[in-house]
Amino acid sequence: MRKFYTIILILFLTLSTFNEKMNVYATSTETNNIYVSTNDELEDAVNNAVPGDTIIVADGSYEAFKIKNKIGTEDAPITITAENTLGATFDEGQLHFYECEYIVFKGFGIYTDSEIKIEGSNHIRLTNNHIRLNEEDTDSLKWIRIYGENSGYNQIDHNIFDEKTKLGNFITIDGTNEDDHGSCVSSQYDVIEYNYFYNIGPRADNEMEAIRVGWSEMSESSGYTTIQYNLFEECDGDPEIISIKTCDNIVRYNTFRSCQGVVSLRHGNRNEVYGNFFFGEGKEGTGGIRVYGSDHKIYNNYMEGLTGSGYSAPIILDGGDVDTSGALNKHFRVYRAEVVNNTIVNCDYGIEIGTNYSYAPSDCIIANNLIVNSENEAIAEYNEPVNMTYEGNIVSGSGDIITFSSITDDEIKFVEEVELELSNDGLYRLKQDSVSIDSSVGNYSYVTIDMDGQSRSLADVGADEFSSDDIVIYPLTSSDVGIDN
Ligand SMILES: [Ca+2]
Ligand SMILES: [Ca+2]
Ligand SMILES: [Ca+2]
């Protein structure tokens, strides 16, 4: 009899342990949570996943693999998440999303030595990951590449990208087949936000931008990419921190600290760069925004302590080496750029026009910019622009103004008194009696708020509106971006 009870007891204990394990490591239909702790379990769970599943990956080291044709839905994405943020890592293999939709990939350390591919996929979200690919055995590695047919609406947010020492970008947005010249088109509506991009170097001539959007052969197609609320720090690899090479993209509300380069509108038209903060911190070669092509808008940017000139000036409407047509990898002449309500303070230089190449900018507007305490030229034309409009600009403190035609005070006014003072939040802001207050002219309907996100009434010159309203946009630090921020 005792033997019988012992057997029952053992059976019971075995079953209850098994049950516990089942609850922890197998599908629960109620929650759709699937716990995995080995590579085989992970791959099986991914291969069998249905919309709404959440695959929870236990701490440990895993091999990355190709995720093929997995389709979630907008309301019920397939989520693959680390059980503990950065507790699960991918240390070898290749992460490759191929023809997937609505997948969330969250909380991993990704340390493989192969490009992360998001190919022919849409609505893939990479969030809360630490991405530091292993570049030991290569001369060039793109870390994330988004491309292929029907690529778009992917989201890269709240990740940390750091310590890149070889050629290639942190993020490359491409499109359809690169060999199919003339008809290749960009991935569209991808969003890159709240990431921390830290430390790329040493300096290379090219191919080491933090982010590249498009390339010359697809430069006539529209990307509709949004790059916003990211922090770029010590991104020194390429003269272009961000290289935009398609049309209709937005770069806004980002912070650039101590980066040797510029946001470059290298190819494409109708791009907008606004509400960004650039801090050069006196480092050599730090710049702002460089422009080629047609119909770009540059406004509400705040630039402080930049030292660059030429290709790396705070703002440069450069010359072109072709006019409106030519080989797609040329520098297209600048037409109809609008540079409005930017603040440039304590920089070595200011706004430059036509510095390089022979076709000078045409039909551009430079209006309501405030340039304070420039060490050298505050505004300088190096090649005579065609039909340039200046209005409402103020140069204050120091800074030379060099133009081919004579300039009136209504176009660029020199104010000896320094228009800005250091505020408690570390930014140089207008004083109560600054000439800039309420002095903007012209009608730039897109300038509805200032660099702080405060509404504009009788717009002040420069990026800052003198206002006591709440500040909702501000320079980002590492605690505002990256994992769990
Ligand atoms: Ca470049
Ligand atoms: Ca005002
Ligand atoms: Ca303000």
Side-chain angles (χ1 to χ4, degrees):
M1 204 57 182
R2 179 176 285 173
K3 205 171 193 177
F4 175 74
Y5 281 122
T6 310
I7 286 166
I8 292 291
L9 187 67
I10 287 168
L11 206 65
F12 173 77
L13 284 173
T14 310
L15 272 173
S16 52
T17 317
F18 184 67
N19 266 336
E20 237 167 57
K21 267 214 143 49
M22 283 298 281
N23 284 336
V24 176
Y25 289 114
T27 312
S28 154
T29 46
E30 282 169 353
T31 60
N32 282 342
N33 282 351
I34 300 141
Y35 287 80
V36 300
S37 61
T38 68
N39 242 97
D40 286 347
E41 287 175 354
L42 172 58
E43 289 199 43
D44 282 352
V46 169
N47 290 334
N48 296 325
V50 296
D53 279 358
T54 296
I55 299 166
I56 300 170
V57 184
D59 290 2
S61 174
Y62 295 83
E63 185 176 345
F65 55 97
K66 186 170 179 175
I67 302 173
K68 203 175 163 185
N69 303 117
K70 290 317 293 183
I71 311 287
T73 66
E74 184 173 3
D75 294 335
I78 295 166
T79 300
I80 305 167
T81 181
E83 184 168 22
N84 301 302
T85 302
L86 305 192
T89 62
F90 291 92
D91 301 289
E92 51 187 335
Q94 180 167 38
L95 186 59
H96 186 170
F97 297 88
Y98 180 78
E99 296 187 352
C100 294
E101 297 179 18
Y102 292 103
I103 295 182
V104 178
F105 195 83
K106 183 179 178 191
F108 296 99
I110 307 177
Y111 309 127
T112 63
D113 60 4
S114 300
E115 175 179 301
I116 298 166
K117 296 182 177 197
I118 300 179
E119 180 182 3
S121 296
N122 62 73
H123 299 93
I124 306 304
R125 181 178 179 203
L126 265 51
T127 184
N128 275 271
N129 302 290
H130 176 213
I131 300 170
R132 185 190 287 175
L133 297 197
N134 180 351
E135 301 186 315
E136 254 169 47
D137 298 325
T138 183
D139 293 329
S140 176
L141 184 65
K142 295 183 177 81
W143 284 15
I144 295 180
R145 182 158 168 255
I146 299 175
Y147 67 108
E149 298 282 342
N150 304 314
S151 175
Y153 298 95
N154 300 295
Q155 182 176 338
I156 313 290
D157 68 277
H158 296 91
N159 303 285
I160 296 172
F161 296 80
D162 63 359
E163 307 298 344
K164 190 172 203 332
T165 60
K166 301 290 177 65
L167 296 182
N169 318 117
F170 283 139
I171 300 174
T172 311
I173 296 187
D174 278 333
T176 53
N177 190 356
E178 297 193 357
D179 301 323
D180 190 11
H181 289 187
S183 63
C184 62
V185 294
S186 176
S187 179
Q188 294 190 323
Y189 298 103
D190 300 301
V191 176
I192 300 171
E193 62 183 9
Y194 296 101
N195 299 286
Y196 184 27
F197 297 100
Y198 178 62
N199 217 4
I200 315 181
R203 171 52 61 96
D205 290 341
N206 200 3
E207 299 293 333
M208 210 173 173
E209 304 88 358
I211 300 173
R212 171 164 70 69
V213 177
W215 71 302
S216 54
E217 293 296 334
M218 64 180 60
S219 58
E220 291 173 316
S221 74
S222 294
Y224 305 115
T225 310
T226 301
I227 301 174
Q228 62 183 1
Y229 297 109
N230 300 284
L231 171 60
F232 298 82
E233 203 167 2
E234 312 273 352
C235 290
D236 301 332
D238 192 289
E240 301 169 298
I241 309 162
I242 298 175
S243 187
I244 301 288
K245 300 186 173 185
T246 53
C247 301
D248 300 297
N249 304 286
I250 292 173
V251 180
R252 65 182 178 193
Y253 313 143
N254 302 283
T255 298
F256 301 86
R257 294 182 189 275
S258 196
C259 294
Q260 283 182 324
V262 294
V263 172
S264 172
L265 305 184
R266 179 62 182 82
H267 296 303
N269 307 314
R270 302 179 304 279
N271 291 301
E272 298 197 16
V273 183
Y274 59 89
N276 300 282
F277 296 92
F278 295 83
F279 301 96
E281 300 175 354
K283 185 177 181 175
E284 188 191 344
T286 45
I289 301 161
R290 175 154 49 100
V291 177
Y292 306 96
S294 298
D295 300 301
H296 302 300
K297 290 188 174 65
I298 312 294
Y299 58 97
N300 277 344
N301 297 286
Y302 175 94
M303 300 163 161
E304 183 195 326
L306 303 175
T307 64
S309 177
Y311 289 104
S312 304
I315 296 177
I316 171 173
L317 302 184
D318 207 357
D321 49 7
V322 293
D323 193 357
T324 52
S325 63
L328 289 175
N329 64 355
K330 292 288 191 180
H331 301 79
F332 278 67
R333 186 178 196 168
V334 178
Y335 280 93
R336 299 175 299 279
E338 298 190 7
V339 177
V340 179
N341 285 98
N342 300 284
T343 291
I344 301 174
V345 55
N346 295 344
C347 295
D348 285 5
Y349 296 84
I351 300 175
E352 299 188 4
I353 295 109
T355 316
N356 311 289
Y357 314 115
S358 57
Y359 290 96
S362 183
D363 304 307
C364 295
I365 295 172
I366 294 182
N368 305 326
N369 299 286
L370 175 60
I371 307 165
V372 174
N373 283 342
S374 271
E375 187 95 3
N376 304 289
E377 293 89 349
I379 296 180
E381 295 176 352
Y382 290 90
N383 196 355
E384 187 169 11
V386 178
N387 191 30
M388 173 72 93
T389 300
Y390 292 104
E391 60 178 1
N393 300 286
I394 292 179
V395 174
S396 159
S398 64
D400 299 331
I401 301 163
I402 299 174
T403 55
F404 282 81
S405 314
S406 62
I407 284 287
T408 67
D409 270 10
D410 289 342
E411 295 174 309
I412 306 173
K413 181 184 287 181
F414 184 80
V415 176
E416 207 142 325
E417 182 87 7
V418 176
E419 285 277 283
L420 300 173
E421 64 185 0
L422 190 56
S423 154
N424 288 336
D425 64 1
L427 296 177
Y428 286 88
R429 294 183 175 280
L430 294 172
K431 302 187 255 186
Q432 203 134 23
D433 59 350
S434 294
V435 175
S436 297
I437 290 180
D438 297 344
S439 294
S440 283
V441 295
N443 183 20
Y444 303 99
S445 57
Y446 46 88
V447 185
T448 56
I449 57 170
D450 77 341
M451 66 180 189
D452 303 309
Q454 296 166 328
S455 68
R456 297 240 187 206
S457 74
L458 286 177
D460 305 347
V461 171
D464 179 27
E465 189 72 15
F466 188 83
S467 167
S468 55
D469 291 352
D470 286 348
I471 291 174
V472 293
I473 304 167
Y474 49 85
L476 301 167
T477 67
S478 56
S479 60
D480 298 310
V481 294
I483 293 164
D484 287 332
N485 286 307

